[in-house]
Amino acid sequence: MRFSDRIPAQLQPTRLAALLRRKRERGRELIDLSESNPTRVGLAYPVEDILQALGDPVTLSYSPMPQGLPQTRRAVSDYYARRGARVDPDEIFLTTSTSEAYSLLFKLLLDPGQQLLAPCPGYPLIDCLATAEGVEAGAWTFYFDGEWQPDLAGLEENITSRTRLLVLVHPNNPTGAYLKASQWESLREVCRRRQLAVICDEVFWDYRLKFGDPIFDPLAEEQVPLFVLNGLSKAAGLPQMKLGWIVLRGPYSLRKQAAERLEFLADHYLSVSTPIQCAAGGLLQAGAAVREQIRQRIKFNLEVLNRTLEKTAARALPVEGGWYAVIELPRIHSSQDWALALLDQDGVVVHPGSFYGFSDGCHLIVSLLPQPNKFREGVRRLAVRASET
Ligand SMILES: Cc1ncc(COP(=O)(O)O)c(C=O)c1O
């Protein structure tokens, strides 16, 4: 039997993952600064409200709808109304996760062998999802000059006749940068001229820390075909509930055509469970308390990080939003070697920037979610290691 080329030929863990596994098997106590599972970082979830939402008796009947149940789409529309945006429930499609939404959209917009361009540095799963759908993920690069800027000239060069789609992560993971309204003006021109659709993944939208220049509002876009992604995973801090969604934006005539085709595709799977659709309204409301705790947590940990790295050879790049921070270190080692040394000698888990496509300089990525006492100690050990070099 032959397996498809969608699966990587090598499935061995990276050196870092293998070392981590060995340490865990030996029971070594570690400080995990890569922890980004909100259910594991000591947040006080509104348990009663969540369990009540999951107890809706409507759950017991099955009324399959490829687009998702109307009451669930209304609940998602209410989530946007709370942020001051009007979204018609008919322009919302439910999925089991944002990742599934990506896969559906790749099927909708790309033929096998065609190409999308995704942010670099950026979220590594996009590449894997593209390969699994038989399409290719190329890079569109962002560079840091005090703030993160899209490399527009480089982007134009990377667009070929096979390129159909631009992915924007807003704010980006792991850089935490929102695309500014002025940056979108230039990008919109490129997308119009080169006939590109856009996916705007805004799973971290609610976690804005720094307010400055106006940011791009994807929900207001009427010219370029655009698909906005979000889900309970980040918007309510409930990744285990498995509910995501797509909002259709861009020219109205294209929204309708996209909706018909998405409905056709979603009908193959009918993947979103009824219990979670019935619970979504209650979970989104309960999620407000979780979001607020996460916001406080990332703000607090970011201050600790900046204070601890002061007067060391390391520094955190500015974070506008999201759950991560990028730490810049002296280039004397590769980011992978820094991460291996921190794990092996200090018992601290971080991600090397190379995982996210950082190629210049030396960067480590930490989550801002860990419990403050663990975060403080982990960052202290990192600062000591950076100072010793
Ligand atoms: C940018 C980004 N998009 C999507 C996801 C996945 O979200 P979901 O759990 O809804 O699949 C993540 C998860 O970390 C993410 O960082």
Side-chain angles (χ1 to χ4, degrees):
M1 183 175 64
R2 277 205 48 191
F3 293 104
S4 89
D5 291 339
R6 291 160 199 250
I7 320 291
Q10 300 293 329
L11 288 172
Q12 274 94 341
T14 60
R15 274 174 68 204
L16 187 65
L19 179 62
L20 183 57
R21 188 185 293 171
R22 285 202 300 281
K23 296 260 175 203
R24 286 198 167 131
E25 279 165 3
R26 284 186 210 137
R28 171 96 193 262
E29 200 154 318
L30 301 171
I31 297 183
D32 189 354
L33 293 185
S34 72
E35 181 61 87
S36 59
N37 178 343
T39 68
R40 288 204 206 128
V41 293
L43 302 177
Y45 277 85
V47 176
E48 293 287 314
D49 296 344
I50 292 172
L51 295 182
Q52 198 181 340
L54 289 165
D56 185 341
V58 181
T59 278
L60 297 173
S61 64
Y62 185 41
S63 313
M65 287 190 72
Q67 188 168 358
L69 296 177
Q71 65 267 36
T72 318
R73 290 185 280 112
R74 277 198 298 278
V76 173
S77 169
D78 291 345
Y79 159 78
Y80 286 110
R82 285 193 284 278
R83 120 179 182 194
R86 282 180 57 165
V87 176
D88 183 340
D90 284 346
E91 292 177 337
I92 295 170
F93 272 79
L94 303 183
T95 60
T96 55
S97 62
T98 316
S99 307
E100 191 192 50
Y102 272 111
S103 294
L104 266 181
L105 290 171
F106 293 168
K107 289 195 215 9
L108 177 77
L109 300 165
L110 301 163
D111 287 318
Q114 289 185 333
Q115 194 196 42
L116 61 100
L117 295 176
C120 182
Y123 179 49
L125 194 68
I126 296 171
D127 212 1
C128 308
L129 292 169
T131 309
E133 292 301 329
V135 299
E136 186 190 309
W140 70 294
T141 309
F142 284 71
Y143 61 92
F144 184 73
D145 66 357
E147 69 170 358
W148 288 95
Q149 309 278 0
D151 173 5
L152 287 177
L155 172 66
E156 291 252 26
E157 272 168 28
N158 286 352
I159 298 172
T160 70
S161 57
R162 291 186 300 121
T163 314
R164 296 295 156 93
L165 174 68
L166 198 65
V167 174
L168 168 64
V169 182
H170 186 46
N172 196 13
N173 169 1
T175 63
Y178 288 82
L179 193 82
K180 308 302 169 304
S182 55
Q183 295 171 330
W184 171 249
E185 292 301 314
S186 319
L187 261 178
R188 180 200 275 132
E189 260 328 289
V190 177
C191 293
R192 275 160 52 106
R193 211 167 355 95
R194 310 300 290 261
Q195 299 199 317
L196 302 181
V198 174
I199 288 179
C200 183
D201 171 342
E202 48 166 49
V203 295
F204 293 112
W205 175 272
D206 291 307
Y207 302 99
R208 193 161 173 204
L209 293 173
K210 201 170 144 225
F211 293 80
D213 295 340
I215 58 174
F216 165 50
D217 177 7
L219 293 172
E221 178 55 36
E222 293 185 0
Q223 296 181 35
V224 170
L226 190 142
F227 302 83
V228 180
L229 309 189
N230 206 338
L232 291 186
S233 182
K234 309 290 186 292
L238 293 168
Q240 76 279 36
M241 298 296 173
K242 307 309 294 177
L243 184 74
W245 57 83
I246 302 168
V247 179
L248 308 181
R249 281 297 177 257
Y252 286 89
S253 56
L254 287 182
R255 290 185 201 182
K256 193 159 176 303
Q257 292 177 33
E260 285 165 1
R261 287 161 177 78
L262 266 181
E263 184 166 2
F264 170 80
L265 280 173
D267 199 22
H268 296 11
Y269 305 99
L270 295 169
S271 55
V272 191
S273 80
T274 302
I276 208 60
Q277 294 194 63
C278 294
L283 295 178
L284 274 167
Q285 280 185 14
V290 184
R291 275 201 300 277
E292 190 45 39
Q293 288 179 69
I294 294 178
R295 243 183 248 125
Q296 297 304 332
R297 174 69 59 85
I298 58 181
K299 226 166 125 185
F300 184 85
N301 278 347
L302 184 60
E303 276 168 23
V304 168
L305 180 66
N306 283 327
R307 252 199 331 269
T308 314
L309 296 185
E310 257 171 32
K311 303 197 184 96
T312 72
R315 68 159 182 151
L317 301 187
V319 179
E320 294 172 20
W323 294 3
Y324 301 94
V326 177
I327 300 172
E328 194 175 53
L329 286 151
R331 257 186 241 207
I332 41 176
H333 308 298
S334 69
S335 65
Q336 191 180 203
D337 286 345
W338 273 108
L340 283 166
L342 274 162
L343 175 55
D344 201 31
Q345 293 163 46
D346 306 305
V348 175
V349 185
V350 296
H351 280 158
S354 53
F355 274 13
Y356 298 81
F358 280 89
S359 49
D360 290 346
C362 177
H363 301 91
L364 297 177
I365 314 304
V366 294
S367 163
L368 294 169
L369 286 191
Q371 283 175 298
N373 56 340
K374 292 188 186 161
F375 187 82
R376 182 179 289 110
E377 176 56 18
V379 168
R380 186 193 68 75
R381 293 185 198 177
L382 191 153
V384 170
R385 175 151 300 278
S387 306
E388 278 169 357
T389 51

